[in-house]
Amino acid sequence: MIRTKSQIALAAVAGAAAVALADPALAQEAAGEAVAEPAALPVSAETAYIFNTLSFMIHGFLVMFMAAGFAMLEGGLVRTKNTTMQMTKNIGIYSFAGLMYWLIGYNLMYNGVGDMGGFFGMPGPWGAADPIVDGAYQGDAAGYAGASDWFFQMVFVATTASIVSGVVAERIKLWPFLIFVIVLTGVIYPIQGAWQWGGGWLADAGFSDFAGSTLVHSVGGWAALAGAILLGARTGKYGPDGKVHPIPGANLPLATLGTFILWLGWFGFNGGSQLAMGSAIDVTAIATIYMNTNLAAAAGVTVAMVLTQAIYGKVDLTMALNGALGGLVSITAEPLAPSPIMAILIGGIGGVLVVLAVPTLDKLKIDDVVGAIPVHLVCGIWGTLAVPLTNSGANFGSQILGIVSIGAFVFVASFIVWFVLKMTMGIRISDEEEAIGLDKAELGLEAYPEFGRGSQAL
Amino acid sequence: MIRTKSQIALAAVAGAAAVALADPALAQEAAGEAVAEPAALPVSAETAYIFNTLSFMIHGFLVMFMAAGFAMLEGGLVRTKNTTMQMTKNIGIYSFAGLMYWLIGYNLMYNGVGDMGGFFGMPGPWGAADPIVDGAYQGDAAGYAGASDWFFQMVFVATTASIVSGVVAERIKLWPFLIFVIVLTGVIYPIQGAWQWGGGWLADAGFSDFAGSTLVHSVGGWAALAGAILLGARTGKYGPDGKVHPIPGANLPLATLGTFILWLGWFGFNGGSQLAMGSAIDVTAIATIYMNTNLAAAAGVTVAMVLTQAIYGKVDLTMALNGALGGLVSITAEPLAPSPIMAILIGGIGGVLVVLAVPTLDKLKIDDVVGAIPVHLVCGIWGTLAVPLTNSGANFGSQILGIVSIGAFVFVASFIVWFVLKMTMGIRISDEEEAIGLDKAELGLEAYPEFGRGSQAL
Amino acid sequence: MIRTKSQIALAAVAGAAAVALADPALAQEAAGEAVAEPAALPVSAETAYIFNTLSFMIHGFLVMFMAAGFAMLEGGLVRTKNTTMQMTKNIGIYSFAGLMYWLIGYNLMYNGVGDMGGFFGMPGPWGAADPIVDGAYQGDAAGYAGASDWFFQMVFVATTASIVSGVVAERIKLWPFLIFVIVLTGVIYPIQGAWQWGGGWLADAGFSDFAGSTLVHSVGGWAALAGAILLGARTGKYGPDGKVHPIPGANLPLATLGTFILWLGWFGFNGGSQLAMGSAIDVTAIATIYMNTNLAAAAGVTVAMVLTQAIYGKVDLTMALNGALGGLVSITAEPLAPSPIMAILIGGIGGVLVVLAVPTLDKLKIDDVVGAIPVHLVCGIWGTLAVPLTNSGANFGSQILGIVSIGAFVFVASFIVWFVLKMTMGIRISDEEEAIGLDKAELGLEAYPEFGRGSQAL
Amino acid sequence: MKLVMAIIKPFKLDEVREALGALEIQGLTVSEVKGFGRQKGQTEIYRGAEYQVNFLPKVKIEIVVATDMVERVVEAITSAARTDKIGDGKIFVMDVEKAVRIRTGETDADAL
Amino acid sequence: MKLVMAIIKPFKLDEVREALGALEIQGLTVSEVKGFGRQKGQTEIYRGAEYQVNFLPKVKIEIVVATDMVERVVEAITSAARTDKIGDGKIFVMDVEKAVRIRTGETDADAL
Amino acid sequence: MKLVMAIIKPFKLDEVREALGALEIQGLTVSEVKGFGRQKGQTEIYRGAEYQVNFLPKVKIEIVVATDMVERVVEAITSAARTDKIGDGKIFVMDVEKAVRIRTGETDADAL
Ligand SMILES: Nc1ncnc2c1ncn2[C@@H]1O[C@H](COP(=O)(O)OP(=O)(O)O)[C@@H](O)[C@H]1O
Ligand SMILES: Nc1ncnc2c1ncn2[C@@H]1O[C@H](COP(=O)(O)OP(=O)(O)O)[C@@H](O)[C@H]1O
Ligand SMILES: Nc1ncnc2c1ncn2[C@@H]1O[C@H](COP(=O)(O)OP(=O)(O)O)[C@@H](O)[C@H]1O
């Protein structure tokens, strides 16, 4: 089969052209109306409804799979003795987040935000208002199934919580962590989400964040930063002399797998954020987003590899993995408007930021086990700031306003929650438990419990 | 971009609304016809055909990936010395099942079941009857490509067989196991499938099983149970005093990955079982199914975590993983009708059942390596029984009839096949081989053959 | 829910049938026009555009995920001491390939190949020519978003490069390898691609390669073969006496996971190569391709398992995994035309070829770490040769012409590039570095850096 | 005091530990090792090429005991670890001059 | 020369190595082992069934030193490895008759 | 009888085993260990922070042989394991009082 464009046109969609050619009047009319309502004309409302819903579902399941990506990435970058715990947290996060977002989160974020002054919606369990009455489709103003929208928004909130678990790994107690996740996904995330995606005051102020460089990634980063400060570093990470003692991750293939899964999921994350697929314009936008997302990630990896080679004389795989994610987070605030070369630049700068931010954080003695703060917070800010470079509808003032207001809110709110947890239940395990590892100390179950291959379990 | 519903309506699908608003007569007419033939009006037959086929393909590849999920889950829960074998079985299962279902299974399940008294169809290789004649689409009564339907049904049968391999792991011989898989996927599964999904006597009796809590999951569970009884427990699992000696799985990150992959695949499993996507009603149904499926799984995890914490004082990751799957199996019989809260309840009870059934099975000295009987059989029964709670078209009598008749048939048929295999080839490896591990004893290939990281292979 | 075809027809797409039945004239007319322009009539041009673009996106992300599949497969089949390197190469490959294909590759392959005598296109950065002008859809001759096409073609080129990395693993230096990847993906692959898929001289000569048995898989195989010859075998692989010393892969569950991911990705690889989904004919073709792809892979596994049992007395998991891939590569040149039984035969012969080619290669002392040459080169040739068996539009002469011309070009061009690299930077690490492993020697980072589970990192 | 060092088949470890428990042995240390001996590994085939597995998985047990216990310890290990098949392993006895319990500083017999 | 063999808690290894470094010990060899002793593992529950963890992770250090160094080495290990909690481990001292440095063929004291 | 304990570079194991095979040594036991010695690990950089790799992978071979074999065994190991680069390792020889073959109960020379 020949894959040239012209050939395709002659073969696959010949009919479409043929129809237009056969009936000039029809084509004329179509073109005429196309000016008025260009995108919708040739796609029936119900067909558009199916496409829009399908986009939420496909892109939603891709984002859902990011939960596995985070689990593997984090599971690969912690030490063996904390791996079961990291798995437990990650399956817990995805589950708890999903329940909380149903119970109050979705409505707190989207339900009548305008009526509440643009600060938050009316909380309460989510319920569908789907355009199906008595088994018949009655047309619908929204253009997609409510449940698909809920599903797509829900997987985003889970992502935010996953970011936190990587930063505070290897020293935090299980249940206080999960309680924080409950508050984050049920309350903190939805409130700031309401400001922008819920159509609240920040949206009115002209802030622009297409798929969540700030609303999802920075939020996770700020929440994690607050936790990391209150928790302190892992024992032994920073010497008394200020020297950094690296603690290499235990399983790099797992971390690599996790990164590839996240990369895959990001097509859903950014692509689905077009929020519609029922027109040529929308689907073309999604295709462009796929391309830009991939170019930014590729640039992030490339830059991280070249830069670690240049600075340290060796390519650092973990930095390359972080570079991919840094590129992805950077393009997330605006994956549609950039030209390919701009997408490469935006992602590449994300790669630079990651390589520089990781040691900087260590200098500040903020112990981030998986590099999530450089990736999600630093690149999240960068990506949001970069929006006006390519999107003429955005401006730097509003972008800074959004970054600062959301950052301040999330950091302070998270700090308070972490602080209350610290004062009440305590958030950090004892030194001895840390030495033994969370798996044995808190869960009584090792990730790789056998004593070597050859022997039986001891 | 603002993500509120109203905004979307105004932006993305403005055209659709605009058309309706611009021409009230058209809208009127549409609404009028919508009552008569609501779903179909605005989606052309060929467009619906594409959507329906696409649904089978997308959801089919998600279910296909569950083969990897089972392989990883089982590979993580057996001991290192049996891991290569578990991988071999799983790639074998998916392959053999796919060939058998083409060779006789599909037609035995779907081909003229009514003519055979509703008990089974006419076996024989599957062949497409697609509505493409001489390269032109001729309209089609079925509304989807036959090959896509075959693909979707085929991946289900592979799932059933995967369930068995987890239960009987670590002590069964390779080839007798694979022969059982051939009979299960080519004969046993299709026959009982014909009763219900093939439109046979059970369907006539009013049984309801949307995506296969009974037809797929319980069937795998019953077949496995018969095998586990005839095989006996792994050496050392149960002390002479009746004491249970746990044999922890060797690689929990792998098991976690497997669970996440299965969870992902389940959107295909349940969503695709709507069997159509070419109307607003169908796609809305699928969206609802995604949401309910996710809520049930999340509830299963949550309950399993809370319950193991409460009963044993520690969260048990393997129970949380089983809890996710228990929730998923429970909602599979009816993922569409439940409200969100009912989906949570149904899945949550699945989580309870798993936590209780695992030790119960041990008390009965039935050795189920991965917990597949609690997950797939027990929760499969529960999910099927729960259908009438939310689906007014179902009743408890028919549900019990279905559970019992399919259970009896599959258990007895499987028992006979296992028994014949035991009497002829033998199904269990020797004690010494078991001590050495199947990898070395039967395959001569270890899963992790190196002697430690630092050394070369020895 | 009953899943029989007739039931579906009555339920899900009842409307469609009803419309046709209700208005015989309309149906008549539809049928009448169907003869003239059968596929397109009932799908509007914009709807077809969305479907076509969606196909590229869905199938593209499946192929993208194959990058993870290759990484895991190769990571599982090398020794632990070279695993970090294999991860680094694989994330590098996918990234570099994506940038190069944007920078020059795509246009070199597709841009005005006819004007350049059919030998290559006009290189230069890719830019979309999408039918969206001033935010309005203006109709489009191509029938899909250009970015989606770019994305889909890009993931193919990454696949080609991944094939190479497996063959030359465990002894090649990082940067020379990556430079080769840059030349391969930016220049060598696109040029030969232009001959056929770009509509160049080979397409004119009647060559047929649906999804790339030759254009992608053999190309990777030839490029790798040239490298393997110039590199030489791993130290210790072949004894002075000519004896083969196997070097077992370090992590078979990882290799199995990789194979399942590749299998999943192949639905995208072959299915997406239909290049359109906006008609019943196209979607039916894709469904058929899914089925044939799966049957061929299943046959490859089955044959490899039975054959290794017969020849060696034991099933060899790594051969079964290779068998799956061999079946997949074999069907890739023509996944649409074969009947199911022919797909099984084509894939099954692929399995035979793999089992026979692996030891043959060893006899030639060509050290292929993961078996990529048997899988991708040998089966790629076989699959291409087999096209005329089922596709009456192809003939053996043209097939041989394509295989030989592309093979000669890629092998010679690759050999020259490898040779220049060898003479300048050197391509092989020192014996001592090889003994230590690439991870420590070149990257200073072990894949599993801990000294056992119980201890802290040393 | 003597060090009794036993190389046994891995799956015999539990039985050996129990047999030693019966002698009121309070402590021992186990390592995973590979053994080369009269027991030959199977000839395996990997991807069509034969190879000889020379090293087999074994477990090494080290126990320091008072000299008068040595006989009984050797006895106990011997009978618990025996399968009568080649490769059952060896026991070696060596002299230990001094023992210290780190926690208390106790030495020799008191340290065991 | 003597072989000092110490079984310690894994997380104490770094401190022990530093303490030995202070004595200008030039070499040592470490293995990962499992210990059975007075320190009992927790009772764990896996999928609803209790089990006793008998073997705990330990690290074994082997150092061959000149006889006159033994006291100081034992001392250094004892104080660096001590946590005063049960399971701190043991030190055993054994006689070594001969030492060879492979690289040079030097023997005994020169080989250490 | 003597215990010959050799710490060598991992990739030399095969050659050493072959050299010992030539002496008709029937058995030996291998463990994976980490060595600390004059040979320093490279300074590595992980995520921008330097660290010193102190412990290098080594293999420990333990062979119990009749006393009259010791010289030849030490010789064989020395020449097979030598790369003339730092870190080649050490050989230590210790006395063994008793050896038992578990399978047969044979002792001492017969047990080897
Ligand atoms: N001379 C020896 N020195 C050290 N270890 C030995 C020696 N001989 C045997 N071993 C260990 O004992 C194990 C069993 O020995 P082998 O000769 O296979 O059988 P058997 O114990 O029945 O004679 C070997 O795998 C090896 O670990
Ligand atoms: N007799 C012994 N022989 C060899 N190793 C021993 C012996 N006794 C104890 N050990 C090792 O020392 C470790 C610590 O001993 P244990 O009795 O638990 O505590 P403590 O050292 O405080 O007395 C054990 O885990 C075991 O590895
Ligand atoms: N005194 C010692 N006691 C025990 N093991 C030692 C001792 N000295 C060295 N080793 C072991 O020998 C290995 C090689 O020693 P090293 O000093 O690095 O080089 P070389 O053998 O060339 O002198 C070390 O890694 C360590 O495992």
Side-chain angles (χ1 to χ4, degrees), chain C residues 99-388:
Chain C
L99 295 178
M100 286 310 296
Y101 203 64
W102 166 76
L103 189 65
I104 54 166
Y106 185 93
N107 277 337
L108 188 55
M109 187 155 161
Y110 288 113
N111 183 20
V113 175
D115 308 339
M116 314 292 273
F119 288 102
F120 49 86
M122 182 65 85
W126 179 87
D130 281 322
I132 310 291
V133 179
D134 294 332
Y137 175 61
Q138 306 290 6
D140 171 42
Y144 52 81
S148 70
D149 172 45
W150 180 85
F151 178 65
F152 186 70
Q153 305 300 342
M154 179 273 295
V155 290
F156 272 64
V157 72
T159 300
T160 305
S162 296
I163 294 166
V164 181
S165 77
V167 174
V168 299
E170 303 207 279
R171 57 207 192 275
I172 199 166
K173 284 185 192 172
L174 176 60
W175 285 105
F177 172 77
L178 289 175
I179 291 171
F180 181 82
V181 166
I182 288 173
V183 179
L184 178 69
T185 59
V187 183
I188 299 175
Y189 174 92
I191 288 178
Q192 59 88 33
W195 300 356
Q196 173 71 9
W197 289 345
W201 71 270
L202 203 52
D204 294 339
F207 182 57
S208 176
D209 186 3
F210 191 92
S213 285
T214 286
L215 269 84
V216 179
H217 295 282
S218 292
V219 165
W222 289 117
L225 181 63
I229 290 171
L230 279 171
L231 257 180
R234 286 167 293 172
T235 308
K237 177 71 190 284
Y238 303 112
D241 45 344
K243 213 180 134 7
V244 182
H245 298 294
I247 303 177
N251 193 328
L252 298 189
L254 222 55
T256 307
L257 175 65
T259 303
F260 273 119
I261 293 176
L262 289 170
W263 193 327
L264 171 69
W266 232 286
F267 296 113
F269 202 95
N270 289 356
S273 292
Q274 176 70 11
L275 306 179
M277 197 171 66
S279 71
I281 292 181
D282 283 314
V283 82
T284 304
I286 299 176
T288 305
I289 290 168
Y290 272 42
M291 179 188 62
N292 280 342
T293 298
N294 201 72
L295 287 172
V301 172
T302 304
V303 164
M305 284 177 71
V306 170
L307 217 58
T308 50
Q309 177 73 45
I311 302 179
Y312 304 121
K314 282 174 182 177
V315 172
D316 187 328
L317 172 63
T318 68
M319 287 290 207
L321 301 178
N322 279 176
L325 302 179
L328 289 163
V329 171
S330 301
I331 201 71
T332 292
E334 184 48 74
L336 177 56
S339 60
I341 187 75
M342 281 305 295
I344 291 170
L345 275 176
I346 290 167
I349 290 172
V352 174
L353 290 174
V354 164
V355 172
L356 300 183
V358 166
T360 306
L361 219 61
D362 270 341
K363 251 173 231 135
L364 301 172
K365 292 195 203 287
I366 293 169
D367 186 15
D368 173 359
V369 178
V370 303
I373 291 174
V375 164
H376 299 277
L377 180 53
V378 176
C379 292
I381 292 173
W382 154 241
T384 309
L385 277 177
V387 174

Side-chain angles (χ1 to χ4, degrees), chain A residues 3-17, chain C residues 45 48-53 56 106 128-131 137-149 274-278 282:
Chain A
R3 298 193 182 209
T4 44
K5 280 201 165 196
S6 51
Q7 293 290 339
I8 298 291
L10 294 176
V13 292
Chain C
Y49 179 97
I50 300 173
F51 276 125
N52 293 338
T53 302
F56 279 134
Y106 185 93
D130 281 322
Y137 175 61
Q138 306 290 6
D140 171 42
Y144 52 81
S148 70
D149 172 45
Q274 176 70 11
L275 306 179
M277 197 171 66
D282 283 314

Side-chain angles (χ1 to χ4, degrees), chain D residues 35-36 38-39 58 87 89-90, chain F residues 27-29 62 64 101 103:
Chain D
F36 174 84
R38 277 176 189 78
Q39 181 196 12
K58 301 281 171 191
K90 316 277 180 191
Chain F
L28 53 86
T29 300
E62 287 167 305
V64 177
R101 166 173 286 126
R103 172 167 49 100

Side-chain angles (χ1 to χ4, degrees), chain B residues 255-279:
Chain B
T256 307
L257 175 65
T259 303
F260 273 119
I261 292 175
L262 288 170
W263 193 326
L264 170 68
W266 232 284
F267 297 113
F269 202 95
N270 288 357
S273 293
Q274 177 69 11
L275 305 180
M277 196 171 65
S279 71

